[in-house]
Amino acid sequence: MIKFFRKIRYDLMEKNKTGKYLKYAIGEIILVVIGILIALSINNWNENRNEIIRLNRVLDIVKADFVKDTLNMRNKIKFYEEKSSQILDVLKNRISPPLDSITELNYKKHMSLTRLATVYSFFRKQNKGIELLKNTTNNVGYEKDSLITNLIARHSNFKGYFDGDNEVMEKLNFQNSEYFAKYSWYTDWLLSEYNRDMFQYFYDDEFKRKAGNFRIHSKQFLNDLEDYDKFAKTYITLIEKRLNE
């Protein structure tokens, strides 16, 4: 092809057809420019396609993280639902028999009630996918992609919620455990052994105040878990829709 154009140029120059040569030269330049533009367009298309492929791979990891989180949260939500219900039963004196009437024969059935103001369940979200997503979209124009921007923003908010929840529950667990250490029944409490004085304490108002305070923060933890569960399930659906487009 190059030899063909070169021959045309030589023929025009030899025949002293300057005007036609200039027109031909301009046409050749235009063809070259068009070729370059087409090549750039193809290159941009390939880059965009590769970017979409990379983004979809990351979204698939985010979706897998959400699936893991929802499975993990099942036990967490159940734990805090049961704890909240048990504390409420204690506060309303709905335990039968009453805690101050527990004997050595039936204490094992009610031993979990003595842990209402201490034991909690830690939760941490999967973060691998969301961090990859942040890095992938950091230098690319995804500001107008509502799926990406809302996903990153809301996920970051939940991180703050759960960091706070875990910190508060850990602090209350430590404080209440330390407080119990001053009582003579503390060793029996640690070993889950029967002690009449211990069950008398857990029937009294002082324990109910501690348990009630623990329930307030447990309920907040439960609310955050339930909200995140809905959020994760919603974005599993949205990501699947995006990947299938």
Side-chain angles (χ1 to χ4, degrees):
M1 183 64 73
I2 295 175
K3 290 181 178 179
F4 174 74
F5 286 131
R6 187 179 296 166
K7 185 176 183 303
I8 293 175
R9 287 199 301 270
Y10 287 154
D11 288 343
L12 291 174
M13 291 176 68
E14 287 176 359
K15 295 178 181 179
N16 200 26
K17 296 181 179 180
T18 306
K20 289 185 177 181
Y21 174 76
L22 290 174
K23 291 179 181 179
Y24 166 78
I26 293 172
E28 187 175 337
I29 292 171
I30 292 173
L31 287 175
V32 170
V33 171
I34 291 173
I36 292 173
L37 292 175
I38 292 173
L40 288 174
S41 178
I42 293 173
N43 184 61
N44 289 336
W45 182 85
N46 284 329
E47 286 185 1
N48 290 336
R49 183 171 177 275
N50 290 334
E51 183 62 36
I52 291 172
I53 291 173
R54 284 194 295 270
L55 177 61
N56 286 348
R57 287 173 180 168
V58 173
L59 286 174
D60 201 40
I61 295 173
V62 173
K63 187 189 80 169
D65 283 351
F66 280 147
V67 171
K68 291 177 184 176
D69 283 340
T70 55
L71 293 174
N72 186 23
M73 277 189 293
R74 288 179 185 176
N75 291 332
K76 307 295 181 182
I77 290 173
K78 182 179 179 182
F79 172 87
Y80 281 109
E81 286 177 339
E82 292 178 349
K83 178 172 280 288
S84 178
S85 178
Q86 284 182 318
I87 293 176
L88 192 60
D89 286 342
V90 168
L91 296 178
K92 290 181 175 292
N93 294 318
R94 293 196 297 227
I95 303 299
S96 181
L99 285 174
D100 63 339
S101 300
I102 300 297
T103 67
E104 194 166 1
L105 296 176
N106 60 10
Y107 84 94
K108 288 185 178 180
K109 181 181 178 181
H110 303 282
M111 203 66 204
S112 63
L113 297 175
T114 65
R115 298 302 201 267
L116 292 182
T118 50
V119 178
Y120 74 104
S121 186
F122 186 88
F123 177 73
R124 175 167 290 156
K125 299 184 287 75
Q126 300 290 324
N127 290 311
K128 177 183 177 181
I130 202 69
E131 292 303 320
L132 285 172
L133 184 62
K134 290 178 183 178
N135 292 333
T136 300
T137 60
N138 188 42
N139 297 319
V140 185
Y142 284 97
E143 297 83 0
K144 295 182 180 180
D145 191 324
S146 59
L147 174 68
I148 303 299
T149 55
N150 291 338
L151 171 55
I152 292 175
R154 294 190 63 190
H155 195 278
S156 297
N157 289 338
F158 278 110
K159 180 183 183 304
Y161 299 155
F162 289 127
D163 285 348
D165 291 332
N166 288 319
E167 183 179 353
V168 169
M169 299 309 294
E170 182 179 21
K171 183 178 179 180
L172 285 175
N173 175 71
F174 177 77
Q175 288 177 342
N176 291 338
S177 297
E178 283 245 306
Y179 185 82
F180 297 160
K182 72 178 186 178
Y183 290 98
S184 60
W185 45 260
Y186 178 67
T187 301
D188 289 330
W189 177 75
L190 286 176
L191 299 175
S192 297
E193 298 289 344
Y194 175 75
N195 186 300
R196 180 175 176 77
D197 292 337
M198 175 179 67
F199 279 101
Q200 178 63 55
Y201 172 81
F202 288 111
Y203 177 78
D204 290 343
D205 287 342
E206 182 179 86
F207 171 70
K208 290 179 180 178
R209 288 192 294 272
K210 291 185 179 299
N213 185 46
F214 205 85
R215 182 175 184 267
I216 290 173
H217 297 289
S218 295
K219 287 280 287 182
Q220 181 59 57
F221 209 150
L222 175 60
N223 290 339
D224 290 339
L225 286 168
E226 290 174 336
D227 286 346
Y228 182 65
D229 187 55
K230 293 176 184 176
F231 162 78
K233 289 176 179 176
T234 296
Y235 273 90
I236 287 172
T237 302
L238 291 174
I239 289 172
E240 286 178 344
K241 183 178 179 181
R242 169 69 66 86
L243 295 177
N244 291 327
E245 287 180 351

